[in-house]
Amino acid sequence: MASCSWAENILQLLRKMNNFYLPGSRRSSCFRFEIEGAQVGWIPPHVASLLARYPDVFSPPHQGAVTLCHSLDSYEKRSEAVSHVVQALRQEPSLTCLKGWRDEKYSVMPRFADCPLMWMERAATSLFGVKRYGVHINGYTVSDRQEVCMWLARRSHTKQTYPGLLDNMAAGGLAAGVGIKHTLVKECQEEACVPAAIAKRARPVATVSYTYEDEEGVFPESQFVFDLELPLEFKPRIGDGEVQEFYLLPIDKVKELLATDDFKPNSAMVVLDFLIRHSYIDPDTGLWVFAKCPHLKNRLTALVLSLLSFQSHTIRTL
Amino acid sequence: MASCSWAENILQLLRKMNNFYLPGSRRSSCFRFEIEGAQVGWIPPHVASLLARYPDVFSPPHQGAVTLCHSLDSYEKRSEAVSHVVQALRQEPSLTCLKGWRDEKYSVMPRFADCPLMWMERAATSLFGVKRYGVHINGYTVSDRQEVCMWLARRSHTKQTYPGLLDNMAAGGLAAGVGIKHTLVKECQEEACVPAAIAKRARPVATVSYTYEDEEGVFPESQFVFDLELPLEFKPRIGDGEVQEFYLLPIDKVKELLATDDFKPNSAMVVLDFLIRHSYIDPDTGLWVFAKCPHLKNRLTALVLSLLSFQSHTIRTL
């Protein structure tokens, strides 16, 4: 039954995107990355071993934490010293994430509301489990008959991450010192040729947060989600080459696709959140119910709950 | 500056409603409550001591878990045996939560999607840290000029919990075997005299989850949230006496009130979620910005993040 596999696939997606907080993860063997006594990330053991080569920058692990040396007592000093280390680590064949060097500075701080304590090259953040923030835009249309369609992008085959997969119409990371709305307008213009006057109509509606790990490191992320209703006659166009094609799809088709391997995983969560907020997932509905037992009428509801409850679990690194 | 204190009050609310997962909670001293090898709750030490008096029902704590005796191998047997214990515990003066006896059966299961393993009296669930589910309805109006107002209820002074506080227009707990939409329609009718034909238009839009502890026990809860746009001429009326008065307030006034002690805390979170989804909280806005440092433009954004990231942190007890 197709509906069962949809539900199962979505649960699997949510688990995968939050695997750092599930049993069996490397969390218990990771070191806390602390600056000025506050945690700003998670360092996996294999990275900690490499950092031990730079005793002028990193103090040896102590009580489960890796810290910066005391002499690095300012934003500039920390950023510069760590940048040198990360540059040197590009020679390490095991650190494949550094192959995707971006030349983009990301802010490092305990919580989003706190003052940044340093910046770090984007490609290195997963080695230190530093939280990354981004913007995702749900571009959609509503017909005269109130039928909703969503614009999806097919990522370019040359993208460093998730090449060729389906994605939100536009999305991008939040670089150090750049505002959220500014990033939104920029990404809409660059990736999808959406004029600023239209992009500015996007409405802030949610954040989607998660923490996963893979062989490259730890990825705690929060995405600021915007809904942008587009004029029926408007068509996004390929801009900076990060997208190879745009599709306008009925919402039921989008729902089906987001449970497949063809969708970039975090963007699938953003679309799932859209479906929940726009009432396309009814907690009681029997439509996709997976009735293993007579008491069980709410398989789908569990998904709704799962999505929201699987949000980032580290209060400390909000 | 009033805006600073609004932000501070909201952060305090979110922390209070998730204090079980914050440092300093009793979590590390609680026992897992397990049935058939799966965790269904958290039992505080003082409750575990009392349960030790009933060795025919509860096995002694072992490896951090309290379990039911092997002979209790069915839904009915477990429910009946625990019910007898809980009835006897009503004599314990220290268990004040049992003074608010409800005669309402709540389902006990590891996750919402799982088959219930037993039922438990609603007033006893916090002693066992069993997760409770409910329904909250945001009743609101949209004027011809697109101005949004929200209907709030003032709880009766005779309510067992949070007497006299502001609340959503209607809300209620999910009793064993009762559907979500059914509960919604029932609560709208009983508490606010909303006809079923209108209540059924309510749209499922979110869940709000949290886990707090107080001297009475542990409260993991998930609320199914519905938005119900009401006709401008419609006025809710006092029904079963759980509400003493209804107010129709401009959304700015509601925003102000939800950061005060006059609002039932979990309902304030539901309204905060409404404000986020309906774009009343802009991540970049300077309106309530709390600019302690030049880098910090996003205090309010942190609140948005906090709300969503502070969702229930126990994947196991979803």
Side-chain angles (χ1 to χ4, degrees):
Chain A
M1 198 164 77
S3 55
C4 292
S5 89
W6 187 89
E8 288 296 341
N9 290 346
I10 293 291
L11 276 175
Q12 209 172 342
L13 166 74
L14 296 172
R15 288 203 187 96
K16 189 175 75 177
M17 293 302 285
N18 289 280
N19 64 1
F20 188 64
Y21 286 97
L22 286 174
S25 84
R26 289 180 302 179
R27 183 159 64 112
S28 59
S29 64
C30 283
F31 297 94
R32 299 185 307 282
F33 178 31
E34 292 184 352
I35 302 179
E36 289 192 344
Q39 184 175 3
V40 295
W42 291 100
I43 301 181
H46 72 284
V47 179
S49 307
L50 294 170
L51 299 182
R53 296 184 198 161
Y54 305 92
D56 294 346
V57 179
F58 296 97
S59 299
H62 178 63
Q63 294 186 333
V66 169
T67 56
L68 296 174
C69 293
H70 286 300
S71 58
L72 302 173
D73 56 2
S74 73
Y75 178 91
E76 289 74 17
K77 285 184 203 169
R78 293 180 201 116
S79 305
E80 201 181 340
V82 174
S83 176
H84 283 300
V85 172
V86 172
Q87 283 284 2
L89 290 177
R90 294 177 75 175
Q91 309 307 322
E92 284 297 322
S94 68
L95 303 182
T96 47
C97 61
L98 296 182
K99 306 281 173 263
W101 197 265
R102 301 277 196 137
D103 265 331
E104 283 182 47
K105 296 177 181 176
Y106 270 33
S107 292
V108 179
M109 58 267 182
R111 302 183 314 164
F112 195 75
D114 296 323
C115 294
L117 297 168
M118 60 177 287
W119 61 259
M120 183 181 279
E121 153 64 24
R122 176 175 176 169
T125 51
S126 62
L127 299 179
F128 295 84
V130 159
K131 191 158 186 170
R132 314 198 288 193
Y133 298 88
V135 174
H136 281 243
I137 300 106
N138 291 306
Y140 67 102
T141 60
V142 183
S143 74
D144 299 340
R145 292 176 170 193
Q146 301 301 306
E147 289 157 343
V148 172
C149 288
M150 186 177 268
W151 281 103
L152 295 183
R154 170 78 67 191
R155 294 165 70 85
S156 158
H157 284 298
T158 60
K159 285 282 283 185
Q160 290 161 335
T161 54
Y162 303 102
L165 294 195
L166 290 170
D167 203 345
N168 293 113
M169 182 185 73
L174 215 60
V178 184
I180 295 165
K181 197 73 179 258
H182 180 90
T183 302
L184 177 157
V185 172
K186 182 175 135 290
E187 296 293 344
C188 280
Q189 285 182 307
E190 290 179 0
E191 294 189 353
C193 300
V194 179
I198 292 182
K200 282 179 181 165
R201 294 182 208 155
R203 304 170 64 225
V205 286
T207 57
V208 168
S209 303
Y210 47 86
T211 303
Y212 65 94
E213 62 169 18
D214 63 19
E215 60 286 352
E216 299 206 329
V218 181
F219 298 77
E221 298 186 343
S222 278
Q223 307 299 341
F224 294 92
V225 179
F226 288 75
D227 281 357
L228 176 56
E229 185 179 337
L230 290 161
L232 288 166
E233 66 281 7
F234 177 81
K235 284 185 175 49
R237 284 179 297 111
I238 297 167
D240 57 11
E242 301 210 1
V243 171
Q244 54 171 296
E245 198 173 354
F246 288 101
Y247 313 100
L248 181 65
L249 299 173
I251 202 72
D252 282 347
K253 181 67 185 166
V254 174
K255 188 155 58 182
E256 193 186 312
L257 286 168
L258 68 88
T260 69
D261 289 340
D262 201 25
F263 223 108
K264 184 167 178 259
N266 66 344
S267 305
M269 287 175 73
V270 169
V271 174
L272 187 56
D273 173 74
F274 180 94
L275 296 179
I276 292 170
R277 285 186 291 100
H278 290 262
S279 308
Y280 289 105
I281 295 183
D282 185 330
D284 267 330
T285 184
L287 192 56
W288 296 306
V289 164
F290 190 61
K292 266 191 201 159
C293 97
H295 298 285
L296 177 51
K297 290 207 310 171
N298 297 308
R299 182 74 181 185
L300 237 262
T301 310
L303 289 185
V304 179
L305 271 179
S306 300
L307 176 70
L308 297 178
S309 299
F310 261 95
Q311 302 284 356
S312 174
H313 302 282
T314 321
I315 292 175
R316 287 188 303 282
T317 59
L318 275 182
Chain B
M1 199 164 75
S3 55
C4 293
S5 89
W6 187 89
E8 288 296 341
N9 290 347
I10 293 291
L11 276 176
Q12 208 173 340
L13 165 74
L14 297 171
R15 289 202 188 98
K16 189 175 74 175
M17 293 302 285
N18 289 281
N19 64 1
F20 189 64
Y21 286 97
L22 287 173
S25 84
R26 289 180 304 180
R27 184 157 65 112
S28 58
S29 64
C30 283
F31 297 93
R32 300 185 308 283
F33 178 32
E34 292 183 353
I35 302 179
E36 288 192 344
Q39 185 174 3
V40 295
W42 291 99
I43 301 182
H46 73 284
V47 178
S49 307
L50 293 170
L51 299 182
R53 295 184 199 160
Y54 306 91
D56 294 347
V57 180
F58 296 96
S59 298
H62 178 63
Q63 294 186 332
V66 168
T67 56
L68 296 175
C69 295
H70 285 300
S71 59
L72 302 174
D73 57 2
S74 74
Y75 179 91
E76 289 74 18
K77 285 183 201 169
R78 292 179 202 116
S79 306
E80 200 180 341
V82 174
S83 175
H84 282 301
V85 171
V86 172
Q87 282 285 1
L89 290 176
R90 293 178 76 176
Q91 308 308 321
E92 283 296 324
S94 68
L95 302 182
T96 47
C97 61
L98 296 182
K99 305 282 172 262
W101 197 265
R102 302 277 197 137
D103 265 331
E104 283 182 45
K105 295 177 182 176
Y106 270 34
S107 291
V108 178
M109 58 266 182
R111 301 184 315 166
F112 195 74
D114 296 324
C115 295
L117 297 169
M118 59 177 286
W119 60 259
M120 184 180 279
E121 154 63 25
R122 175 175 178 169
T125 50
S126 63
L127 299 179
F128 295 84
V130 160
K131 191 159 186 170
R132 314 197 288 192
Y133 298 89
V135 174
H136 281 243
I137 300 106
N138 291 305
Y140 66 103
T141 60
V142 183
S143 75
D144 300 339
R145 293 175 169 192
Q146 301 300 308
E147 288 157 345
V148 172
C149 288
M150 185 176 268
W151 281 103
L152 294 182
R154 169 79 67 190
R155 293 165 71 85
S156 159
H157 284 297
T158 59
K159 284 283 281 184
Q160 289 161 335
T161 54
Y162 303 101
L165 294 194
L166 290 169
D167 202 345
N168 293 114
M169 182 186 73
L174 215 60
V178 184
I180 295 166
K181 198 73 179 259
H182 180 90
T183 302
L184 177 157
V185 172
K186 183 175 135 289
E187 296 293 344
C188 280
Q189 286 182 306
E190 291 179 359
E191 294 189 353
C193 299
V194 180
I198 293 182
K200 282 177 181 165
R201 294 182 208 155
R203 304 170 65 225
V205 286
T207 57
V208 168
S209 304
Y210 47 86
T211 304
Y212 65 94
E213 62 169 17
D214 64 19
E215 61 286 352
E216 299 205 331
V218 181
F219 298 76
E221 299 187 342
S222 278
Q223 308 299 342
F224 294 92
V225 179
F226 288 75
D227 281 357
L228 176 56
E229 185 180 336
L230 290 162
L232 287 166
E233 66 282 6
F234 178 80
K235 284 185 175 49
R237 283 179 297 111
I238 297 167
D240 57 11
E242 302 210 359
V243 171
Q244 53 170 297
E245 199 172 355
F246 288 101
Y247 314 100
L248 182 65
L249 299 173
I251 202 72
D252 282 347
K253 181 67 186 168
V254 174
K255 188 155 56 183
E256 193 186 313
L257 286 168
L258 68 88
T260 69
D261 290 340
D262 201 25
F263 223 107
K264 185 168 177 259
N266 67 343
S267 305
M269 288 175 72
V270 169
V271 174
L272 187 57
D273 173 74
F274 180 94
L275 296 179
I276 293 169
R277 285 186 290 102
H278 289 262
S279 308
Y280 289 105
I281 295 183
D282 184 331
D284 267 332
T285 184
L287 192 57
W288 295 306
V289 164
F290 189 60
K292 266 192 202 157
C293 98
H295 298 284
L296 176 53
K297 290 207 310 171
N298 297 307
R299 182 75 180 184
L300 238 260
T301 311
L303 289 184
V304 180
L305 272 178
S306 301
L307 176 69
L308 296 180
S309 300
F310 260 96
Q311 302 284 354
S312 175
H313 303 283
T314 320
I315 292 175
R316 286 187 304 281
T317 59
L318 276 182

